[in-house]
Amino acid sequence: MAFGTIGIIGAMQEEIELVLARLENKQTEKHGGIVYHRGDFHGKKVVLTRSGVGKVNSAVCTQILIDRFGADAVIFTGVAGAVDPALNIGDIVVSSSSLQHDVDVTALGFPRGTIPYQDVSEYAADARLVALAELSGEKVFPGRCVTGKVLSGDQFIADRSAVKQLYEELGGACTEMEGASVAQVCHMNDIPYVVIRSMSDKADGSAHVNFAEFTIEAANRSFAIVEEMVKAL
């Protein structure tokens, strides 16, 4: 598996800091208000960027990665809230697919998460990148890495009933605010992608206690898997 340029995105600074510190031959550019770091990471050409929080930021960021930097694979890394009750803080979710849970046109008869008049609303992650992420995750954190559906929306979910609904109605493993928009842009451009999320909280109202404490640890876990993946590419 060989890619010319790998785009690596995190939503927050903590999620890209470890890669940034190890980037060689670094060149920094700014486009659309977003800073991009071009360089070499374990001998591979990468472009690293912090998208900012939310679906619009991450969509714009991904399109720029593809158009301006020629990214032919995209890895999104960072933290998320667990939706699957079997998941614990520190567990890793590798995206099998991504869906926007806040797209709701049920009043017109469309299932929740369905974008009207589009053929695809749930975006499958690239099988090769998923397999590599699974192998890397098992190597770095044995028994803590699962593959599942990543749900995205412009909401920080912190309500137990909402979590239950996301799990039962949409079959989500975790919820966050960027992955599905990255996935949609990659789908529209025929670019392989995968989302790797480390659980920083259980999206159950305890996030004010868990999130700050576990964000850095969770970001470190996501980084470790991304690093292992890039080494193997």
Side-chain angles (χ1 to χ4, degrees), residues 20-213:
L20 186 60
R22 292 161 177 78
L23 207 58
E24 298 178 342
N25 305 314
K26 184 172 67 179
Q27 295 177 304
T28 298
E29 303 175 28
K30 190 173 184 179
H31 302 285
I34 301 170
V35 176
Y36 297 83
H37 308 280
R38 190 200 306 256
D40 300 312
F41 183 52
H42 291 288
K44 313 299 191 305
K45 292 189 181 302
V46 305
V47 180
L48 173 71
T49 182
R50 177 175 67 85
S51 65
V53 174
K55 293 192 301 178
V56 173
N57 280 328
S58 57
V60 170
C61 175
T62 304
Q63 192 64 57
I64 290 173
L65 267 180
I66 295 166
D67 287 346
R68 283 190 172 265
F69 296 97
D72 52 8
V74 173
I75 301 171
F76 197 106
T77 176
V79 303
V83 169
D84 185 336
L87 289 172
N88 293 305
I89 291 170
D91 287 347
I92 309 291
V93 172
V94 175
S95 64
S96 55
S97 63
S98 300
L99 177 75
Q100 297 176 60
H101 69 75
D102 61 348
V103 173
D104 188 347
V105 196
T106 53
L108 296 183
F110 294 93
R112 182 177 176 183
T114 297
I115 302 170
Y117 318 118
Q118 272 191 198
D119 292 336
V120 179
S121 296
E122 181 176 337
Y123 305 99
D126 181 74
R128 300 164 299 169
L129 292 176
V130 169
L132 183 57
E134 290 171 335
L135 286 171
S136 300
E138 193 57 32
K139 181 177 180 180
V140 179
F141 303 110
R144 301 298 301 273
C145 188
V146 303
T147 301
K149 187 189 298 184
V150 172
L151 302 178
S152 306
D154 286 321
Q155 304 161 355
F156 192 100
I157 304 295
D159 177 79
R160 285 183 176 86
S161 63
V163 169
K164 187 170 185 285
Q165 190 177 47
L166 291 177
Y167 179 65
E168 293 179 354
E169 185 179 337
L170 297 177
C174 66
T175 181
E176 36 86 301
M177 298 178 69
E178 297 85 24
S181 54
V182 171
Q184 182 174 350
V185 172
C186 287
H187 172 79
M188 293 167 75
N189 289 273
D190 198 25
I191 298 292
Y193 90 95
V194 69
V195 175
I196 299 164
R197 292 289 194 175
S198 182
M199 303 302 100
S200 61
D201 64 270
K202 296 199 67 147
D204 61 358
S206 61
H208 64 287
V209 176
N210 296 331
F211 188 76
E213 181 179 351

